[in-house]
Amino acid sequence: MATKIRLQRGGRKGYAVYRIVIADARAPRDGRFTEKIGMYNPNTNPATVDLNFDRALYWVEVGAQPTDTVRNILSREGVYLMKHLRGGVKKGAFDEAAAQAKFDAWKQAKVKGLDAVRENEAKAKKDAAAKSLEAEKQVNEAIAKKVAEKKAAAAVAEAEAEAAPAEETPAEA
């Protein structure tokens, strides 16, 4: 039986969320599956992946063929790196502890990079909000200035209107 690692669609219209499943190659996309090994949500930034790492590694090692998208997900999560490192351990290139140390170093660098991306996005969002607030303040100041000018013009016109009848009244008398 040919086994595939594929995505199974869920979620609502316009907001797809996928399960990462092990299925027979002949089964339909949303049909029968053998095992669920994770979730993938492409709607968040960066995409959220909740993966059972050990089971994914097991299925990759026994020969399950992932789809292109799942291969990218597994690669980003380090499943293929760990498979490669285990192959090195089997060949005697290094021991299990060295393989785990290499994987942990890679994982820390990956997490550090993701944190930097999140910080940059948060900073950009904060800067955009500050810029927007400053622009809104300038617009409000311009509006307040126009309103003050109109009120001053209205006050001058009103004072002239009061002064004009007062001047006319003594002339009539």
Side-chain angles (χ1 to χ4, degrees):
M1 171 174 86
T3 308
K4 294 283 248 181
I5 305 174
R6 64 165 52 144
L7 297 176
Q8 189 175 53
R9 192 181 194 285
R12 65 176 192 266
K13 181 179 177 181
Y15 194 86
V17 178
Y18 299 93
R19 289 189 281 185
I20 303 171
V21 297
I22 308 300
D24 185 350
R26 298 168 293 184
R29 178 190 72 178
D30 297 335
R32 208 168 119 195
F33 62 92
T34 307
E35 181 180 354
K36 175 186 164 193
I37 61 171
M39 293 289 291
Y40 169 62
N41 184 358
N43 300 306
T44 60
N45 189 11
T48 307
V49 177
D50 180 28
L51 183 69
N52 184 340
F53 187 85
D54 296 329
R55 292 306 292 170
L57 183 60
Y58 165 78
W59 282 106
V60 167
E61 285 180 340
V62 298
Q65 294 298 311
T67 59
D68 293 338
T69 305
V70 174
R71 185 181 312 109
N72 290 336
I73 291 169
L74 295 178
S75 179
R76 275 181 277 165
E77 292 297 311
V79 173
Y80 280 103
L81 176 63
M82 184 56 96
K83 179 184 176 197
H84 174 72
L85 292 172
R86 280 191 174 180
V89 169
K90 287 178 187 173
K91 291 178 182 176
F94 42 84
D95 62 343
E96 184 70 37
Q100 191 62 41
K102 286 182 181 184
F103 181 76
D104 291 340
W106 175 84
K107 194 70 169 175
Q108 285 179 347
K110 181 88 169 168
V111 168
K112 191 175 184 181
L114 285 175
D115 289 344
V117 167
R118 286 187 186 113
E119 287 176 14
N120 287 342
E121 287 179 3
K123 184 179 178 186
K125 190 180 278 187
K126 186 177 178 182
D127 291 345
K131 198 176 224 182
S132 172
L133 181 63
E134 187 63 36
E136 188 175 341
K137 283 181 181 179
Q138 289 178 352
V139 168
N140 287 344
E141 287 174 3
I143 291 172
K145 194 174 189 181
K146 285 181 182 179
V147 168
E149 289 173 359
K150 281 186 178 180
K151 284 185 178 180
V156 168
E158 194 174 303
E160 288 176 1
E162 288 178 8
E167 290 176 3
E168 291 177 11
T169 320
E172 291 177 3

